[in-house]
Amino acid sequence: MDSQQPLNQPEGHPAGPRKAAQGFIVDIATIRGSMLSEVGGKAANLGELVSAGLPVPPGFCLTTHAYRRALAAAGLDTVLRELSEAGSTDTGTLNSLAARARSVVLDAGIPGEVAEAVLAAYRDLGEEVPVAVRSSATAEDLPGASFAGQQDTFLNVVGAEAVLDAVGRCWASLWTDRAVSYRTTNGVDHSSVALAVVIQEMVASATAGVMFTANPVTGKRHEAVIDASPGLGEAVVSGAVNPDQFVVDINSRTIVRRSLGDKLVEIRPLPGGGTERIERAASEQSGGSALKACLDDRQILDLAGLARLVEQHYGAPQDTEWAIDGAGKLWLTQSRPITTLYPQMTRNPPLPGEHAFLNFSLAQGLTRPITPMGLAGIRLVASCVATTASFDVPDPRSGPPAYYEAGQRIFFDLTAVLRSRIGRSIVPRVFDVMEARSAMLMRELFEDPRFSVTIKTPLKLIRHVGPVAAKYRVPESFLRGLFAPASAMKRVDRFSAELRRSFSVPEDATPHQRIAYVQRILGERVFPTVPTVLPLPVLGFAMLALVRRLLGAQAPYSELQTVIRGLADNVTTQMDLALWHLASDIRQDPDATSFMVGRTAGELALHYRDATLPPVAQSGMKAFLLEYGHRAVAEIDLGMPRWADDPTHVLGVVANYLRLEPGADTPDQQFDKAAREADDQVARLVARARAKSPLHAAVVRTALDRTRRFAGLRELPKYNLVLGLAAAREQLLLVGNGLAASQRIEDAEDIFFLDLDDAEVALAGGDLRGVVAERRAAYELELRRRHIPRLLLSDGTEPEATAPRGLQAGPGTLSGSPASAGLVTARARVIMDPVGAHLEPGEILVAPSTDPGWTPLFLTAGGLVMEMGGPNSHGAVVAREYGIPAVVGVPDATARIASGQQLTVDGAAGTVTVKDVTGGGV
């Protein structure tokens, strides 16, 4: 090796930096990751691989400076301005602008000095040497989005003229329809993007493919997944071939799975340049006999060893492309981050042994990430719970030992539950009614020897639950509810009123006092609502189960569901009906109705802030927000604006209600009807019990009375928690106003991208604007994540990905958990966020999950399908209240169902039949 070569530089790379005039050319061997703006993502990654001593074909990079030089006066600015105004869903406009941009780039051509620099560097590689010409964009292969395949690559390019032509086409490919759409969707400013071009010696590969240094399907970080096929890797990368696949345990260097593809397509280089595609009939593949692998075991393990080295260099899992030439030498031709893996749990020092983590965010019906201050608030509440239960919590602001965060979502260590006999008995049953698929996954882990039972007695549980039950007199609550129900309700009402009064804070409190108040309300005051209130709805549902046990087949599931419709004291139902009554009041005034219907939700919100809505709407909305303004979509995140902060969503809902044609039963009429049907069903069940004995009748009557009295209270603990979160948010905004005024942050709302410690640093004089910007960017990335795991293991494994999915009960049918009986056939409306959403009357709402912020949509929905939840999750309960057929816990429903498709929802069977299936459907 030449003594002037950089350390660890493989043979075949020229020594030292190589730059042409004006910095147009950079040798790959001298490129590092910090040069992204100059060489783009692909070249930066190749240079990093070279610096790590890994085998990369020699070559050079034509920098972004050359691209900018070529387009300096080409007239691209007009297109860029129009692109900045185009929406991500306006496909026609985006494609038209992309075509104009490509024309501008191709018409500009390659300046003479740039062409000379390229040809000089090409001659240095060798006379007429075949090369690969690859696009390398500055918005490419980034940690948050890989942008894989958005720009073009040209293989086996031979000769000076062909190289220059490929360079021009690479530049133009920055503006393909797919690249423009992808950047728009991912919020990348088109004017900030430029393109470099990598020109490397072509590897005439005998075998090539891709390799993930972690398993992208299951999430296992210790498994490499290798796809391989004869010829050039383009066949595998483009998906043209069914390749061989090998899964290797990197730690033990063991091949754990082999799957041989038919490999019927092969792409080969042609002698004079370019490639050819060879397609074989299936009968040609070994004469129909067993397929032969295109890699032997040594090559597979060598690739896995290379995977370890690549990942060690980057410190994160990588998606790589590789090739093996005719002499058997292994080359790396690309590496980029695997952007689809869900982040792992982190703790210092690392936890010993295998652990399982439950996604508590999803259990609460929340798919979106939580703001940093929102997470800080949940940590305080969780610490209060743990401290009350006699767990050691060294720092309440950090959360209890079992609390974790990953992907800006809440997780809890489930390992102790899985290893406890009584934990296995109780917790999955709770999740059967909260989030049924999570319960199924827990039970599947029972068979995993890593989580075998080690806690066989209930003593540990009693040691932690006992103090909570004693402190908040839980046994007394059960007895009072059973024998003195009116007294029990008075106690709950008294507690809720006292809790509200405790949220007040002096107007002259200092910022530090306000932060201390936030810690006190979240870390001490809101949790008691759970053990104080929850025993009563638990008693109500327990009484329903008692009736089922007493009457057996005479009390079928569907009839018991009728009993819990039209429940009193459900704060969420009361909220939805109050919004409907507001719309009804406005409807009585034709001018007010016309005003409301003729404007967007955003316009109505501006009018409300200016107090210029029609009087009936202005006063009605003010009264509604006074009572329910603390609520919001994703309301357990105190970083989310409350409806009192931004009433756009609820005003849009009211306007939609006003567009409904009169004729059908109104929601309040439906609610009253449901209550009457419930009373009638109670009478029938009591009559059946009387046929057994008067004692049976008395027990059933009392039990169902308690069910009707108390089951509706299940929403109250969360309602009170949200009141506390809204009070804390109000105080934090006051602190944020002061920090913004002193330029510690840009805007008062920025405080929700800090935590309490950060806020105190800012109050002490720290400038945290940079911290806020970084966290906002990370939050925006997480908002785009679609796949959220229910459970995660320590090594990143998603148990749901390794388990039989059981998605389909038959062709075109998805299965979930029965939630609300009934049968409805109607068009689907897939809604990912209720804010600003429009649901036509009778349409079936298909959503990832729902919380009270969604429920105003239920008043006009014909049915409900949710990806998350169980029979007693929030959405299921409200659906039953309104008599809407509902199926919950349907995995990937929002991806497998498209708006406009015809669905049949059978809420009793737990099935969703999809008709009019388009590409990507079931």
Side-chain angles (χ1 to χ4, degrees):
M1 181 180 291
D2 192 313
S3 62
Q4 298 301 309
Q5 285 180 300
L7 187 63
N8 295 327
Q9 181 176 294
E11 293 183 19
H13 285 275
R18 185 194 195 295
K19 290 197 177 186
Q22 289 119 346
F24 293 144
I25 300 295
V26 183
D27 192 284
I28 287 176
T30 67
I31 293 173
R32 297 296 178 265
S34 60
M35 298 168 64
L36 178 69
S37 62
E38 184 181 354
V39 300
K42 188 177 279 89
N45 282 330
L46 288 170
E48 281 293 317
L49 293 174
V50 174
S51 74
L54 299 170
V56 176
F60 61 91
C61 176
L62 178 65
T63 67
T64 57
H65 181 55
Y67 171 84
R68 297 186 191 281
R69 166 69 181 82
L71 296 177
L76 194 60
D77 290 348
T78 302
V79 180
L80 291 173
R81 270 197 308 274
E82 293 182 42
L83 276 172
S84 68
E85 298 169 358
S88 61
T89 59
D90 191 355
T91 305
T93 299
L94 290 175
N95 291 348
S96 174
L97 291 171
R100 283 173 54 191
R102 290 195 298 275
S103 295
V104 169
V105 175
L106 290 171
D107 290 345
I110 301 176
E113 65 270 33
V114 173
E116 290 175 9
V118 171
L119 295 180
Y122 175 59
R123 285 191 294 270
D124 285 350
L125 288 178
E127 194 65 32
E128 298 289 291
V129 64
V131 292
V133 182
R134 306 175 188 273
S135 301
S136 182
T138 53
E140 180 180 52
D141 296 347
L142 304 177
S146 73
F147 289 71
Q150 299 306 314
Q151 284 82 43
D152 289 343
T153 287
F154 302 95
L155 301 177
N156 200 41
V157 179
V158 179
E161 184 177 339
V163 168
L164 291 177
D165 178 67
V167 166
R169 287 192 286 163
C170 280
W171 283 351
S173 76
L174 186 63
W175 302 99
T176 60
D177 293 352
R178 63 182 183 271
V180 168
S181 177
Y182 196 79
R183 288 197 298 270
T184 302
T185 301
N186 282 276
V188 176
D189 181 1
H190 295 284
S191 65
S192 70
V193 180
L195 194 95
V197 181
V198 175
I199 300 172
Q200 287 177 283
E201 284 188 18
M202 184 72 191
V203 178
S205 53
T207 308
V210 299
M211 175 172 62
F212 295 90
T213 70
N215 193 317
V217 176
T218 67
K220 291 183 179 179
R221 299 310 203 267
H222 59 82
E223 285 186 351
V225 179
I226 302 165
D227 286 356
S229 191
L232 301 180
E234 177 64 17
V236 178
V237 173
S238 66
V241 68
N242 181 16
D244 293 343
Q245 186 175 89
F246 309 95
V247 180
V248 183
D249 187 309
I250 296 176
N251 294 334
S252 65
R253 288 183 58 81
T254 303
I255 302 170
V256 297
R257 192 173 74 246
R258 306 169 191 264
S259 176
L260 301 186
D262 52 39
K263 303 182 288 293
L264 296 180
V265 175
E266 182 177 337
I267 297 177
R268 292 178 178 172
L270 291 169
T275 61
E276 64 175 343
R277 177 188 173 109
I278 300 172
E279 298 189 20
R280 303 183 185 87
S283 58
E284 296 179 56
Q285 188 60 265
S286 303
S289 62
L291 300 177
K292 181 181 179 182
C294 62
L295 293 175
D296 59 35
D297 286 4
R298 180 189 59 79
Q299 291 171 319
I300 294 169
L301 294 177
D302 284 348
L303 278 165
L306 196 59
R308 180 191 288 275
L309 293 175
V310 172
E311 186 168 308
Q312 284 177 347
H313 177 72
Y314 282 100
Q318 297 289 300
D319 166 7
T320 68
E321 296 178 22
W322 55 271
I324 299 175
D325 64 22
K329 182 172 176 56
L330 176 60
W331 298 93
L332 283 170
T333 57
Q334 194 169 149
S335 181
R336 63 175 72 88
I338 303 177
T339 58
T340 56
L341 288 173
Y342 198 81
Q344 287 181 274
M345 308 297 153
T346 56
R347 177 155 289 184
N348 191 21
L351 285 169
E354 191 66 64
H355 285 250
F357 303 93
L358 171 74
N359 191 329
F360 188 74
S361 287
L362 285 188
Q364 289 294 307
L366 189 61
T367 57
R368 63 183 293 140
I370 299 176
T371 60
M373 190 63 81
L375 289 170
I378 298 297
R379 288 197 296 270
L380 286 173
V381 176
S383 293
C384 178
V385 175
T387 301
T388 307
S390 300
F391 287 98
D392 182 32
V393 182
D395 176 16
R397 289 189 181 183
S398 298
Y403 175 94
Y404 284 80
E405 294 169 6
Q408 299 172 40
R409 294 167 178 89
I410 307 163
F411 286 80
F412 280 95
D413 191 342
L414 195 67
T415 311
V417 169
L418 297 174
R419 290 179 177 158
S420 164
R421 183 170 291 164
I422 193 167
R424 288 185 171 202
S425 174
I426 294 174
V427 174
R429 292 183 183 180
V430 173
F431 275 83
D432 281 335
V433 296
M434 280 182 60
E435 217 296 295
R437 191 159 178 86
S438 293
M440 185 199 76
L441 294 171
M442 289 180 206
R443 291 186 175 101
E444 288 177 355
L445 287 179
F446 292 173
E447 307 302 318
D448 191 325
R450 295 173 297 178
F451 300 109
S452 58
V453 172
T454 58
I455 305 169
K456 299 181 179 180
T457 70
L459 294 178
K460 190 172 183 179
L461 176 67
I462 293 170
R463 188 163 65 245
H464 293 299
V465 173
V468 181
K471 181 174 182 178
Y472 296 105
R473 297 152 55 190
V474 172
E476 178 188 333
S477 294
F478 280 118
L479 293 172
R480 191 189 296 261
L482 189 59
F483 297 111
S487 173
M489 283 299 301
K490 286 181 181 178
R491 180 171 178 248
V492 166
D493 291 341
R494 189 166 55 250
F495 170 84
S496 296
E498 290 172 355
L499 183 66
R500 281 188 179 229
R501 285 194 294 270
S502 75
F503 293 158
S504 62
V505 63
E507 290 186 8
D508 60 351
T510 67
H512 285 289
Q513 288 172 333
R514 295 187 191 281
I515 289 177
Y517 162 80
V518 168
Q519 176 147 350
R520 186 164 59 253
I521 192 67
L522 299 180
E524 299 174 15
R525 291 181 181 169
V526 295
F527 168 64
T529 191
V530 176
T532 301
V533 176
L534 197 58
L536 293 182
V538 169
L539 174 65
F541 284 104
M543 292 293 98
L544 198 67
L546 175 63
V547 171
R548 179 69 185 271
R549 182 175 290 273
L550 288 173
L551 295 183
Q554 290 184 300
Y557 176 81
S558 59
E559 293 188 1
L560 292 178
Q561 292 300 301
T562 301
V563 170
I564 54 176
R565 291 183 58 199
L567 292 169
D569 297 312
N570 185 319
V571 287
T572 300
T573 304
Q574 292 167 350
M575 175 192 76
D576 293 341
L577 291 176
L579 202 58
W580 174 260
H581 290 146
L582 170 58
S584 300
D585 291 341
I586 296 172
R587 195 188 294 275
Q588 303 305 312
D589 183 336
D591 291 338
T593 301
S594 176
F595 184 96
M596 298 288 288
V597 171
R599 287 169 172 78
T600 67
E603 291 170 341
L604 293 174
L606 289 174
H607 279 286
Y608 176 75
R609 292 190 186 95
D610 295 338
T612 55
L613 287 178
V616 63
Q618 185 74 31
S619 60
M621 182 56 62
K622 183 178 180 180
F624 176 84
L625 293 177
L626 189 64
E627 181 68 23
Y628 298 108
H630 64 284
R631 308 221 72 164
V633 176
E635 60 192 1
I636 67 168
D637 180 0
L638 63 80
M640 292 295 290
R642 308 290 109 173
W643 289 341
D645 301 327
D646 181 3
T648 304
H649 172 50
V650 285
L651 282 164
V653 171
V654 169
N656 282 339
Y657 289 169
L658 293 172
R659 294 185 179 97
L660 299 183
E661 294 294 330
D665 287 345
T666 62
D668 48 352
Q669 291 171 337
Q670 292 175 1
F671 182 82
D672 292 341
K673 179 183 177 183
R676 290 194 301 272
E677 290 174 348
D679 289 339
D680 292 342
Q681 186 61 59
V682 168
R684 285 192 291 271
L685 291 170
V686 171
R688 292 171 194 169
R690 189 176 294 113
K692 290 179 176 287
S693 74
L695 178 61
H696 276 79
V699 171
V700 168
R701 183 185 298 106
T702 300
L704 294 180
D705 173 79
R706 301 309 184 262
T707 297
R708 295 288 299 162
R709 282 179 186 265
F710 298 138
L713 292 175
R714 71 178 296 277
E715 295 283 309
L716 186 57
K718 184 177 180 182
Y719 183 87
N720 285 339
L721 168 65
V722 173
L723 276 171
L725 291 171
R729 175 183 168 83
E730 182 180 355
Q731 297 306 310
L732 288 167
L733 276 174
L734 292 172
V735 176
N737 282 325
L739 292 176
S742 59
Q743 298 185 329
R744 304 291 183 239
I745 55 179
E746 293 286 350
D747 182 83
E749 290 275 347
D750 286 350
I751 195 168
F752 299 112
F753 289 88
L754 306 175
D755 59 23
L756 295 178
D757 290 340
D758 297 325
E760 289 175 343
V761 168
L763 288 173
D767 184 346
L768 296 187
R769 286 175 290 187
V771 171
V772 168
E774 289 177 8
R775 291 182 183 169
R776 277 191 179 276
Y779 180 79
E780 291 295 326
L781 282 177
E782 279 299 326
L783 279 174
R784 295 201 290 268
R785 189 186 295 278
R786 290 294 300 274
H787 173 66
I788 316 296
R790 287 172 165 86
L791 287 176
L792 276 178
L793 303 187
S794 299
D795 66 352
T797 301
E798 295 185 30
E800 190 167 15
T802 61
R805 294 184 65 78
L807 281 175
Q808 292 179 252
T813 300
L814 305 179
S815 293
S817 298
S820 180
L823 189 70
V824 63
T825 299
R827 288 187 310 169
R829 177 76 67 172
V830 179
I831 297 178
M832 303 304 295
D833 187 332
V835 178
H838 180 65
L839 186 73
E840 291 291 336
E843 286 185 326
I844 295 171
L845 170 62
V846 182
S849 63
T850 62
D851 65 10
W854 287 75
T855 55
L857 294 173
F858 286 28
L859 293 179
T860 56
L864 172 68
V865 177
M866 292 195 327
E867 292 182 340
M868 309 301 166
N872 270 350
S873 60
H874 171 80
V877 170
V878 179
R880 287 195 296 270
E881 289 281 339
Y882 298 155
I884 301 169
V887 179
V888 301
V890 181
D892 304 321
T894 60
R896 298 170 67 82
I897 297 170
S899 291
Q901 287 182 319
Q902 200 78 358
L903 303 186
T904 296
V905 175
D906 188 334
T911 59
V912 181
T913 303
V914 186
K915 302 176 183 177
D916 184 27
V917 178
T918 57
V922 178

